[in-house]
Amino acid sequence: MEVGYFVSLALFTTIYALFSLGLNLQWGYTGLINFGHIAFMAIGAYTTIALTLPNFIKEMPQRLMEQYPAIASQEGLVSVLDFLGDTLPEQVPLVIAVLIGASLAALLGLAIGTSTLRLREDYLSIVTIGVSEVVRLVAVNEEWLTRGPRGVFNYPLPLEKLEPNLVIQGGMIASLVLVLGLALWRLWQWLLQQPQREGRPPLSLPLFVGYVICLVGVAACWWFSFSLSLTVELPSALQEIVLLVMRFAMVAPLGIVGVILVYASCRRPLQQLRTQSMGTHLSLLAVSMGMGLVVMFFGVHIMGIIDYTYKAGLLWLLILTIALVFWQLERWVNSPWGRVLTSIREDEEVAKALGKDVFRYKLQSFMLGGAIAGIAGSFYAWQLTFINPDGFIPLLTFQAWIIIVAGGAGNNVGTLLGAGIFWAYNEVTRFILPNILPLDDARLGAFRVMVIGLMLIVLMMWRPQGLLGKKEELTLGR
């Protein structure tokens, strides 16, 4: 395993997390069923690339006339296209291109929402999945606009030519430490409030420290085992089993230390455990594992910044972006505006009875969620360094749904956690299953999807609100 692999994995996880945050605002907080979220990402990706690729938009009128020769007979239209060809800029700065892409994605949300948000939720879901296919088919067929199936490549990438000195590297690392510190503080505040929301005694510090020591240790040991490139010359399936045993054997001492610390800090550790609900323990477990993974990837990312690569710089930029989006989303959903969204999700007739303009709030949520997906699309294109319509299939939307359902709808922390779990599952099964099951790649892919479905069914039966969702806010089944 190399640092580049972990950086790429962190990039995909973070991009999917950002993409899912937009869908969580639409469905998790407002109850809008959107099966075509990928359309917003496609708009953001293609707009950003088209505006930043030299002469791409300036040559669009000429390419349009070449693809549709009948236009040449329309003198007025030809004059307009010539005017556009002379006035359009050769290139747009990256930041402005991203903002324009997000704005166009929001405008797509405005167009969809204006015609469908007054209808029932099932009509909205049908329209959105149809629009996403229309956007993809336009990208396939309108080569003057998107270059069709050939795709777009060799476009400018952010921080690609950066050659950071020690001061810049120190600033990048310091900003990451600041974001990580704020994230840990926010998680701590959220965990402290969990027992209070359930009417339980406050969370004891030793209990929390025990979880953190045990589970951060798990992630740290995984990282050390990868970084040390542990290999054993054994048959492949047996090798995987031996490596798993070795890794968990390394975890055991840390786990014992954690248990001893908890026992030494609590006179009655079992009673301490029983003071909290199963939901709190589950939250502690999930958040601690997430923190452990974050610490592991944080260390890898620091290595990537010191030995600078473009992907490490892009990940740094993406982390700052998602931190800003997350912070702003938390402000919005905890404001009176966010509480109106939640009331609409629970029962929009009640919101109407209180004099709220339900349609306007729905439209705002739909547009904002679309704009966030548009920003995610820009990073998606920068990460791939090549885009074509095949990269924007409906499957990506349903992967975002899996992330939200697993993490807990209506919870931004749960969405981040769901993205981490989803990609961890993807990577673990991608490496381990081929050595265990005698199946070809196609059957293994189908088996992995089947297992995801089975896990979701079990999760829905056991904890329908998701790992960090609130059961009292659950609208399913009412």
Side-chain angles (χ1 to χ4, degrees), residues 48 74 88 142 194 197 199 232 239 265 278 288 291 331 377 414:
T48 303
Q74 306 291 328
L88 285 173
E142 300 300 325
Q194 175 87 355
R197 288 192 291 267
V232 182
Q239 177 173 317
S265 304
M278 181 58 72
S288 299
M291 289 167 61
R331 286 189 60 200

Side-chain angles (χ1 to χ4, degrees), residues 255-296:
I256 293 171
V257 170
V259 171
I260 291 174
L261 278 175
V262 172
Y263 188 81
S265 304
C266 308
R267 291 184 178 179
R268 297 177 178 176
L270 291 179
Q271 283 78 356
Q272 284 280 343
L273 292 173
R274 290 171 185 162
T275 57
Q276 302 301 331
S277 67
M278 181 58 72
T280 301
H281 287 299
L282 193 62
S283 299
L284 278 168
L285 183 69
V287 172
S288 299
M289 287 186 70
M291 289 167 61
L293 284 172
V294 168
V295 170
M296 182 184 77

Side-chain angles (χ1 to χ4, degrees), residues 211-251:
Y211 270 108
V212 172
I213 289 177
C214 294
L215 296 169
V216 172
V218 173
C221 287
W222 274 87
W223 178 49
F224 280 124
S225 65
F226 282 131
S227 63
L228 292 174
S229 301
L230 292 178
T231 56
V232 182
E233 295 298 332
L234 292 172
S236 55
L238 184 58
Q239 177 173 317
E240 290 294 333
I241 296 172
V242 170
L243 284 174
L244 280 174
V245 172
M246 288 174 63
R247 287 163 186 160
F248 283 107
M250 293 168 69
V251 172

Side-chain angles (χ1 to χ4, degrees), residues 376-419:
S378 302
F379 283 97
Y380 184 65
W382 290 334
Q383 154 67 5
L384 295 177
T385 67
F386 166 79
I387 59 169
N388 69 355
D390 290 340
F392 301 96
I393 55 177
L395 177 64
L396 272 68
T397 297
F398 292 98
Q399 288 174 342
W401 275 91
I402 292 172
I403 288 170
I404 294 174
V405 169
N411 189 316
N412 290 321
V413 178
T415 301
L416 302 183
L417 177 66

Side-chain angles (χ1 to χ4, degrees), residues 273-476:
L273 292 173
R274 290 171 185 162
T275 57
Q276 302 301 331
S277 67
M278 181 58 72
T280 301
H281 287 299
L282 193 62
S283 299
L284 278 168
L285 183 69
V287 172
S288 299
M289 287 186 70
M291 289 167 61
L293 284 172
V294 168
V295 170
M296 182 184 77
F297 281 100
F298 179 77
V300 174
H301 192 196
I302 296 298
M303 294 168 63
I305 290 177
I306 293 173
D307 186 15
Y308 185 78
T309 59
Y310 157 68
K311 292 292 181 68
L314 182 63
L315 180 58
W316 172 77
L317 187 62
L318 179 55
I319 288 174
L320 296 187
T321 303
I322 198 171
L324 181 64
V325 170
F326 179 86
W327 171 73
Q328 188 60 48
L329 278 176
E330 284 292 289
R331 286 189 60 200
W332 281 336
V333 299
N334 290 304
S335 68
W337 180 80
R339 286 190 280 277
V340 173
L341 294 187
T342 307
S343 70
I344 292 172
R345 179 196 64 191
E346 296 300 311
D347 190 342
E348 67 177 67
E349 296 302 323
V350 173
K352 286 180 182 175
L354 292 173
K356 303 299 180 184
D357 188 343
V358 171
F359 174 74
R360 184 165 60 90
Y361 280 96
K362 282 183 174 180
L363 195 58
Q364 291 170 352
S365 172
F366 202 68
M367 292 175 67
L368 281 172
I372 293 170
I375 297 172
S378 302
F379 283 97
Y380 184 65
W382 290 334
Q383 154 67 5
L384 295 177
T385 67
F386 166 79
I387 59 169
N388 69 355
D390 290 340
F392 301 96
I393 55 177
L395 177 64
L396 272 68
T397 297
F398 292 98
Q399 288 174 342
W401 275 91
I402 292 172
I403 288 170
I404 294 174
V405 169
N411 189 316
N412 290 321
V413 178
T415 301
L416 302 183
L417 177 66
I421 293 173
F422 177 77
W423 276 97
Y425 168 82
N426 256 350
E427 294 306 300
V428 169
T429 54
R430 188 161 69 93
F431 285 114
I432 292 180
L433 283 184
N435 297 324
I436 297 176
L437 300 176
L439 300 175
D440 56 36
D441 291 344
R443 287 184 174 83
L444 276 176
F447 181 78
R448 291 165 65 195
V449 174
M450 186 181 71
V451 172
I452 286 181
L454 183 63
M455 290 168 65
L456 281 178
I457 291 172
V458 173
L459 182 65
M460 289 299 98
M461 294 175 64
W462 171 57
R463 194 173 171 81
Q465 71 272 32
L467 291 176
L468 300 185
K470 297 176 183 175
K471 193 171 185 178
E472 61 272 20
E473 294 184 0
L474 193 67
T475 57
L476 294 173

Side-chain angles (χ1 to χ4, degrees), residues 99-269:
L99 294 177
I100 293 175
S103 302
L104 288 181
L107 285 177
L108 176 65
L110 175 65
I112 299 173
T114 303
S115 57
T116 58
L117 288 179
R118 295 184 191 278
L119 304 175
R120 289 200 331 241
E121 292 83 357
D122 44 357
Y123 290 106
L124 174 65
S125 62
I126 294 170
V127 169
T128 51
I129 196 169
V131 168
S132 71
E133 276 300 282
V134 168
V135 169
R136 191 181 66 82
L137 291 175
V138 167
V140 170
N141 294 292
E142 300 300 325
E143 295 194 4
W144 64 274
L145 186 64
T146 63
R147 290 184 181 170
R150 292 177 297 139
V152 188
F153 49 88
N154 285 337
Y155 42 78
L157 304 170
L159 306 179
E160 182 184 21
K161 298 177 181 177
L162 180 67
E163 296 180 359
N165 53 29
L166 285 177
V167 176
I168 295 177
Q169 288 176 335
M172 294 171 77
I173 294 172
S175 60
L176 286 178
V177 172
L178 178 63
V179 170
L180 180 63
L182 290 174
L184 293 178
W185 177 80
R186 178 70 183 83
L187 280 174
W188 172 242
Q189 294 296 316
W190 182 79
L191 284 172
L192 282 180
Q193 295 171 0
Q194 175 87 355
Q196 297 173 6
R197 288 192 291 267
E198 298 175 346
R200 301 262 182 172
L203 188 67
S204 63
L205 183 61
L207 192 61
F208 180 74
V209 171
Y211 270 108
V212 172
I213 289 177
C214 294
L215 296 169
V216 172
V218 173
C221 287
W222 274 87
W223 178 49
F224 280 124
S225 65
F226 282 131
S227 63
L228 292 174
S229 301
L230 292 178
T231 56
V232 182
E233 295 298 332
L234 292 172
S236 55
L238 184 58
Q239 177 173 317
E240 290 294 333
I241 296 172
V242 170
L243 284 174
L244 280 174
V245 172
M246 288 174 63
R247 287 163 186 160
F248 283 107
M250 293 168 69
V251 172
L254 282 174
I256 293 171
V257 170
V259 171
I260 291 174
L261 278 175
V262 172
Y263 188 81
S265 304
C266 308
R267 291 184 178 179
R268 297 177 178 176

